[in-house]
Amino acid sequence: MNFLTYELNPFGGAVLDENSFPEDPAYFNKVLGDTITDFRTQGLQLVWMYLPLKLSPLIHTAVSQGFIYHHANEEGLQLILKLQPDAFVPGYATHYLGAGGVLIDEQNRILVIQEKHHTRRHYKLPGGALEPGEHIADAVVREVLEETGIKSEFISLNCFRHWHGYRYGMSDIYFVCRLKPLSSEITIETSEISEAHWMPLEEYLNHPDTHPFNRKIVTTTVNTPGLSLDQIEDYGTPESHEMFFASLD
Amino acid sequence: MNFLTYELNPFGGAVLDENSFPEDPAYFNKVLGDTITDFRTQGLQLVWMYLPLKLSPLIHTAVSQGFIYHHANEEGLQLILKLQPDAFVPGYATHYLGAGGVLIDEQNRILVIQEKHHTRRHYKLPGGALEPGEHIADAVVREVLEETGIKSEFISLNCFRHWHGYRYGMSDIYFVCRLKPLSSEITIETSEISEAHWMPLEEYLNHPDTHPFNRKIVTTTVNTPGLSLDQIEDYGTPESHEMFFASLD
C-alpha cells in the first residue's frame, strides 16, 4: 500500500507534503484514502493539505474525501480535514487595518479631504489601508503623502475605532494618528479625492459637513498625548515590530 | 451563444452568479470562455467568481482560464480574473488580534501566569486571541476568566505591539489592557497554563523571569491612563463598533 508523505506537528496534526502528490486525480484519490485510513489508525487529530494553484485539479478529490478550505491566496489553497470532531484548528487572519492622520500647520489649520465618491459630503482626514506587512506609523505617512502630497512625520496614536462586518464579513480597525506636517503645498490624488485643503481648526470642528465622529477624534488627538512609538531591547526588530506606549512623564 | 449570469459593480468588475453555473465542467468551460470574451469586449477590469464547497469540481476549469484564488473559508473559495493588468483588487484580511490583561488586586498584587509549553520560563499576563467578530474589551475579560477563573471588567487600553510575520505570514497585534479584578480565587485552565497566581507587583517587576517587554507594558499600564471606551451618537452600534479614546480631562 502506498501512502502520501507527511510530517507530524506537535498538535496531533499531519501535514501532507504536496511534492509527493501524484497529478493523476484517480491515483491521488486512492493514495489519499489509504493515507487518511492510516492517520485514523494512528489516532491523529487533523490533516493539512496545501495545494498550489497548479494542483487545482486535485481539489475536488480532497473535498470528496471530506476536506474543507482553511484559507487561500493567489499562490494556492490550504485545506484541512478534521479526524476528530473537536480537533483544534487555528484560525486565519480576521482584521483589516487602516489609519488616518491629523495634521495641524503653524497657522492652526487642519489638513482635510473630500472623497470623490461619497454618499454625503464630509470633510475627512487623509489616510487609508495598511499594505500587508506595513507598520501603522509608516502607512499613515505614506497615505497622507499619496492623497495630498503633504510630507509628514509620525508623532502619536491617539484613538481608534474597531468595527465588525467590514469587507467579506471581516473586522476593521481605523487608527487616528497625530502627524507633524513637513511641507505645505497640496497636490491631490485625483482618482479618489475631489478636494484637499488646510482648513482653520475652529472652522473644521464647527462645520456642518464635519461628522461628529471626526469632530471627536480630532478633538481627542489635538488635546491628548496619546501613545508614542518605542522599542524594547532584544524584542523583535524595528522592521518586524512597532510598539505604542503612553508616555510615563 | 450562452453566457453566465453576472452583475456589474462600480469598479468595472463583473460578479458571476454561481447559481447560473452548469455542474458539467466541460459545458462550464465553454460558457465561461464565451462570457470572458464578452467581458473583454465590454472593457471590464476584473471578474469575481465564488465557488461554494460543493462546486469544487469547477475550480480547475476556472484556473485553466486564468483565475487565481483571492480568499477561502470553510464555506467556499473566492476566485478572481484580472482582465486588465492594473485592475484594482481589494485585499483580504491581514491581521490577527489578541489582548492581555493587567489585573492588580487591593494588596497591590498582579495576576500572572506561566505557560505549560514554554521555551523559557516567563511570568506572563493572562490573555489570548480575539474570536472572529469579538470586541477587544470583551475578549480580554473572557480570556482572563478562561485561563485563571478571575472575573474582571475593562478599564483602559494602554499599549500595544504590532508584529509582522506571524501565523501564515500574516501580522498580529497584541493589545495590553488594564482590568479591574472582580474576584480573587484562581482556577487555572490546565491544558495551556501550568501556573497562575497573584504576585506582589514589585516582585513581578524585578523578577528575573519577567521579560523586559512585560516589565515595560505593565509599568506603562499601571502608570498611565491609556485609552478608554466611548461611543459616538449615530455612529454604528455598541455591538458592531467599539471606540477607544484618550480622556480629555
Side-chain angles (χ1 to χ4, degrees), chain A:
Chain A
M1 199 174 280
N2 287 319
F3 298 112
L4 298 171
T5 309
Y6 61 93
E7 289 188 358
L8 295 179
N9 71 22
F11 309 101
V15 183
L16 297 172
D17 174 12
E18 73 255 26
N19 297 312
S20 75
F21 295 172
E23 288 200 20
D24 172 51
Y27 184 57
F28 178 67
N29 188 41
K30 167 82 171 70
V31 191
L32 180 62
D34 292 343
T35 305
I36 292 170
T37 302
D38 178 55
F39 289 160
R40 290 193 191 276
T41 310
Q42 290 187 50
L44 296 180
Q45 301 278 320
L46 191 66
V47 189
W48 294 89
M49 180 194 296
Y50 178 75
L51 292 175
L53 204 61
K54 69 178 163 66
L55 291 185
S56 66
L58 303 183
I59 297 173
H60 172 48
T61 304
V63 171
S64 72
Q65 296 213 21
F67 279 83
I68 58 171
Y69 311 144
H70 183 271
H71 70 268
N73 58 32
E74 55 184 37
E75 313 290 328
L77 175 66
Q78 179 72 61
L79 301 101
I80 53 168
L81 171 66
K82 283 190 188 188
L83 300 175
Q84 314 280 349
D86 59 348
F88 172 71
V89 181
Y92 194 63
T94 53
H95 281 72
Y96 295 85
L97 260 64
V102 174
L103 287 80
I104 314 273
D105 74 1
E106 291 175 351
Q107 296 164 258
N108 209 31
R109 299 179 307 177
I110 182 169
L111 181 63
V112 295
I113 62 154
Q114 294 259 13
E115 286 173 353
K116 207 162 180 174
H117 310 284
H118 57 71
T119 46
R120 197 192 133 185
R121 186 181 157 91
H122 275 309
Y123 287 111
K124 291 190 170 175
L125 301 177
L130 267 71
E131 291 174 356
E134 191 178 31
H135 281 356
I136 298 162
D138 297 333
V140 63
V141 167
R142 174 185 56 73
E143 283 282 347
V144 168
L145 181 66
E146 287 177 8
E147 289 187 348
T148 68
I150 298 294
K151 294 174 189 163
S152 63
E153 67 180 29
F154 177 88
I155 299 175
S156 58
L157 186 152
N158 300 68
C159 49
F160 67 95
R161 181 268 292 131
H162 182 208
W163 169 30
H164 306 304
Y166 182 57
R167 197 184 286 160
Y168 311 117
M170 298 289 104
S171 299
D172 178 73
I173 290 190
Y174 172 67
F175 290 106
V176 180
C177 303
R178 180 81 187 253
L179 305 181
K180 179 183 172 186
L182 300 176
S183 68
S184 60
E185 195 174 335
I186 291 171
T187 315
I188 74 165
E189 189 280 312
T190 52
S191 72
E192 290 178 30
I193 312 289
S194 65
E195 180 186 339
H197 61 270
W198 294 102
M199 182 185 262
L201 184 57
E202 279 306 306
E203 182 186 340
Y204 178 74
L205 293 176
N206 295 300
H207 200 288
D209 291 341
T210 301
H211 190 282
F213 175 64
N214 283 64
R215 193 173 296 130
K216 174 142 182 167
I217 63 183
V218 169
T219 303
T220 297
T221 301
V222 170
N223 293 297
T224 62
L227 310 178
S228 302
L229 278 174
D230 207 344
Q231 286 289 326
I232 309 244
E233 218 176 313
D234 296 329
Y235 187 86
T237 66
E239 291 72 35
S240 67
H241 289 67
E242 61 177 350
M243 286 180 258
F244 296 87
F245 291 96
S247 168
L248 289 178
D249 42 46

Side-chain angles (χ1 to χ4, degrees), chain B residues 89-158:
Chain B
V89 182
Y92 193 63
T94 53
H95 282 71
Y96 295 86
L97 259 64
V102 174
L103 288 81
I104 315 274
D105 74 1
E106 289 176 352
Q107 297 163 257
N108 209 32
R109 300 180 305 177
I110 181 169
L111 181 63
V112 294
I113 61 153
Q114 294 258 13
E115 286 174 355
K116 206 163 182 174
H117 310 283
H118 56 71
T119 47
R120 198 192 132 184
R121 185 181 156 91
H122 275 309
Y123 288 111
K124 292 190 170 175
L125 301 176
L130 267 72
E131 291 175 355
E134 190 178 31
H135 281 355
I136 298 162
D138 296 334
V140 63
V141 166
R142 173 185 56 73
E143 283 283 345
V144 168
L145 181 65
E146 287 177 8
E147 289 187 348
T148 68
I150 298 295
K151 294 174 190 165
S152 63
E153 69 180 27
F154 177 89
I155 300 176
S156 57
L157 186 152
N158 299 69

